Amino acid sequence: PSPSEPGRRPKKSGGPGNIHLPSHGRQIERLTPRLTALQQAFDARRARVQTEAAGLTPEEVIVLETAGPVDDFIVAVRGIPGLEWLGEIEEEDIPPDDDFFVPASDGTARTDKNLRGRVFLVFSNQQALRQMLSLWDAWQNGRPLPHGLGKWADVFSKLRDVRPWGVRDRLEDTGVLDDWQDRVEHAQETIPCEIEMWFRRSVQRRQDARRRVAAIVDGLQGRVLHEAVIPDICYHALLVRLPLAAVQDLTGQAGHDMSLVQCEQIQFFRATGQMAVVVSDGNRSPDAGAVARTVPAQLGEPVVALLDGLPLQNHGRLADRLIVDDPDGYEQQYPANERRHGTTMASLILHGDLNAGASPLNRRLYVRPILRPDPRTWITPRPETAPEDQLVVDLVHRAVRRLFEEEGGEPAVAPQVSVVNLSIGIRDRLFDGALSPLARLLDWLAWKYRLLFIVSAGNHPQEIELNVPRGQPSRMSAQEIQAHVVQAI
């Protein structure tokens, strides 16, 4: 179809022109104690690092939360030696308070209007922190800021909070605490987790960060299993295994060794193997595998790739229609009765809705298994999950790159693919203001290889039952259906 003019996103309240900001004096009153606390946290970090590992330069990730945006702030950050830009996150639905609010026509605060803002993340060493505090001193005393650093005045006037990145930031809202707690309760001997590092553009700094984290893991009697670096999406992660006692320390059940969760080089801890799918018997068609279709003598090369569980290659609807590429040898761990989701998705792609009676695709389907039965459960059939001994982002990256690039002297396996289906759910990685590394990866791969990714949006593991009579949804608006879904969840 011909391209049309895209719909314009409605402008939201809370923009830079209609936010009430505190007075100059009020900002000084609010922020001085927080900047003092930041300096104290930095001094404590410096003392701890010098005790743990002599010769390391103490650093701290500083979180700057503003009401409204600050244009070109990254330029001002790079104007201070020792400050390293890490990222920016858009915040919405910030509750108003006495200092920051959307004013009504009479100047009073509107309690029904939330604000928008930004979270700026920067790495700082001691020298850079001193210069930032020097800029603060100039601003609070009404002196002009140096050339090229004037944006800091805009930051100080809009600053809601300034603090170091801490333990809560690394652990909360990632699902890792629930995962650890479950494994501790089941007395799992060693416990895997993903450590998402702050991405440093300098190779040397990445290596230093890796050595620092690895030394702490070794000190806890743990082990680093794998490291992945994808500079194009600013991704650096470690897959580690920790002994049960170390995780009990981290969850507060014993001891007090918090060195790992306090490590400034770590952005997030995440649970492993969280990519999962479940196909219940109630969702399967009665004739789900019975009818075999005649396969044409010549099927075209695949243009669709399926990254999923391993399908049944000899299934009546799939026989001779699949190209299964299994370089990791997942088939050896995949009993036939547990090859559910991959079989379902392959049938859906090749045949569509079976009740529609449409002709199947005249091309084969490329399949790369990235899931396997969860070895931690005895439920039969087991859920199909990503392996715990690999980083999911790295696994998907390698799977897509293998389609188009040589690997180990072997040619690209399916360079004609233009559509990739990824129907998985990650319960602990909801979209909430910042793109996950996996989302950044898919965005970059789509651009690099000119691909269309079909990604399922569902990561709610239970069936959703709406309090609506059967047949009524067809007469409801999308907004009404959405409201019922949200209520049901």
Side-chain angles (χ1 to χ4, degrees):
S2 300
S4 59
E5 182 70 16
R8 297 296 178 187
R9 186 176 181 180
K11 187 176 181 180
K12 298 183 180 180
S13 64
N18 58 350
I19 294 180
H20 172 274
L21 301 176
S23 66
H24 183 268
R26 174 58 180 156
Q27 278 295 78
I28 294 173
E29 179 186 356
R30 291 181 61 255
L31 296 176
T32 297
R34 305 183 192 202
L35 290 167
T36 300
L38 180 64
Q39 177 67 70
Q40 292 171 346
F42 207 108
D43 291 341
R45 169 78 65 193
R46 179 177 57 185
R48 186 163 56 248
V49 168
Q50 289 174 347
T51 301
E52 294 173 356
L56 281 179
T57 301
E59 296 179 302
E60 191 74 75
V61 175
I62 299 176
V63 182
L64 301 151
E65 300 182 22
T66 66
V70 180
D71 296 334
D72 300 323
F73 181 49
I74 185 174
V75 177
V77 168
R78 289 174 176 168
I80 298 180
L83 278 190
E84 183 176 347
W85 177 265
L86 295 174
E88 175 182 343
I89 302 171
E90 182 176 356
E91 279 196 313
E92 296 190 2
D93 298 327
I94 302 171
D97 56 29
D98 293 339
D99 295 306
F100 299 91
F101 56 84
V102 177
S105 57
D106 61 357
T108 59
R110 294 188 57 175
T111 58
D112 61 330
K113 288 290 185 180
N114 289 342
L115 309 178
R116 289 184 294 153
R118 294 288 193 278
V119 177
F120 300 103
L121 303 166
V122 294
F123 244 125
S124 174
N125 60 21
Q126 184 74 28
Q127 177 185 355
L129 180 60
R130 280 198 299 266
Q131 185 166 353
M132 192 177 80
L133 294 176
S134 175
L135 294 173
W136 164 255
D137 183 68
W139 182 82
Q140 69 173 333
N141 288 292
R143 299 196 304 270
L145 272 58
H147 176 72
L149 299 175
K151 284 293 179 183
W152 282 95
D154 197 11
V155 172
F156 293 145
S157 66
K158 297 178 178 179
L159 200 58
R160 295 174 46 245
D161 194 13
V162 55
R163 59 181 178 82
W165 188 265
V167 172
R168 290 180 59 183
D169 298 294
R170 297 183 181 100
L171 294 175
E172 288 189 357
D173 301 324
T174 68
V176 72
L177 289 176
D178 291 337
D179 182 73
W180 284 351
Q181 186 65 39
D182 179 67
R183 293 172 187 268
V184 167
E185 290 176 357
H186 287 83
Q188 188 168 331
E189 186 174 341
T190 61
I191 297 176
C193 74
E194 295 182 17
I195 294 179
E196 191 176 323
M197 311 280 283
W198 293 106
F199 182 80
R200 313 301 297 272
R201 296 193 177 276
S202 163
V203 174
Q204 183 62 52
R205 288 187 176 182
R206 290 201 299 269
Q207 292 174 346
D208 291 343
R210 196 260 187 207
R211 281 194 291 269
R212 170 139 173 79
V213 174
I216 297 175
V217 171
D218 289 343
L220 295 171
Q221 307 303 312
R223 188 160 57 100
V224 176
L225 301 178
H226 183 58
E227 179 182 19
V229 178
I230 309 176
D232 300 271
I233 62 169
C234 300
Y235 177 74
H236 183 195
L238 302 177
L239 179 65
V240 306
R241 277 194 175 272
L242 299 170
L244 177 62
V247 172
Q248 287 176 320
D249 284 353
L250 297 177
T251 55
Q253 293 194 15
H256 57 273
D257 187 347
M258 303 292 287
S259 57
L260 187 60
V261 293
Q262 291 175 339
C263 181
E264 73 282 357
Q265 302 296 340
I266 295 174
Q267 183 178 13
F268 294 118
F269 291 85
R270 298 192 185 276
T272 61
Q274 291 296 296
M275 181 186 291
V277 292
V278 179
V279 179
S280 66
D281 288 328
N283 291 334
R284 295 167 67 86
S285 173
D287 64 341
V291 181
R293 302 282 182 93
T294 301
V295 180
Q298 295 294 327
L299 284 174
E301 292 298 310
V303 293
V304 179
L306 173 64
L307 308 184
D308 207 286
L310 184 68
L312 287 165
Q313 294 96 315
N314 291 324
H315 186 284
R317 298 186 184 275
L318 305 182
D320 300 322
R321 293 184 179 273
L322 305 178
I323 296 177
V324 176
D325 182 22
D326 184 21
D328 297 315
Y330 286 4
E331 185 170 11
Q332 301 173 8
Q333 309 165 46
Y334 232 127
N337 68 327
E338 294 183 311
R339 300 184 190 185
R340 295 195 165 204
H341 198 264
T343 300
T344 301
M345 292 308 306
S347 175
L348 180 62
I349 293 170
L350 288 169
H351 298 283
D353 185 346
L354 299 180
N355 295 319
S359 299
L361 291 184
N362 59 0
R363 291 177 177 270
R364 286 185 167 84
L365 174 66
Y366 172 90
V367 180
R368 165 71 182 264
I370 61 170
L371 307 177
R372 61 188 184 192
D374 187 349
R376 292 191 299 149
T377 180
W378 297 100
I379 300 173
T380 304
R382 296 171 292 176
E384 296 164 88
T385 66
E388 292 184 346
D389 57 356
Q390 297 190 48
L391 294 161
V392 167
V393 174
D394 183 58
L395 175 60
V396 174
H397 180 219
R398 290 187 291 106
V400 174
R401 189 177 59 190
R402 179 179 169 86
L403 296 172
F404 304 100
E405 299 182 17
E406 289 187 9
E407 184 178 56
E410 297 181 1
V413 295
Q416 67 285 346
V417 162
S418 58
V419 179
V420 178
N421 191 94
L422 192 63
S423 293
I424 50 87
I426 303 182
R427 292 191 294 270
D428 300 325
R429 300 194 192 180
L430 306 178
F431 175 69
D432 187 19
L435 292 177
S436 70
L438 181 58
R440 298 201 309 270
L441 175 70
L442 299 186
D443 184 63
W444 174 65
L445 292 175
W447 171 81
K448 181 177 182 180
Y449 297 117
R450 301 182 63 83
L451 290 172
L452 172 65
F453 281 93
I454 307 298
V455 182
S456 65
N459 54 2
H460 188 273
Q462 286 80 35
E463 294 183 359
I464 301 173
E465 296 185 9
L466 306 184
N467 187 24
V468 177
R470 186 173 298 277
Q472 184 174 332
S474 62
R475 301 188 297 274
M476 298 168 60
S477 68
Q479 289 80 6
E480 290 174 321
I481 295 175
Q482 182 182 29
H484 280 287
V485 171
V486 170
Q487 185 180 25
I489 294 176

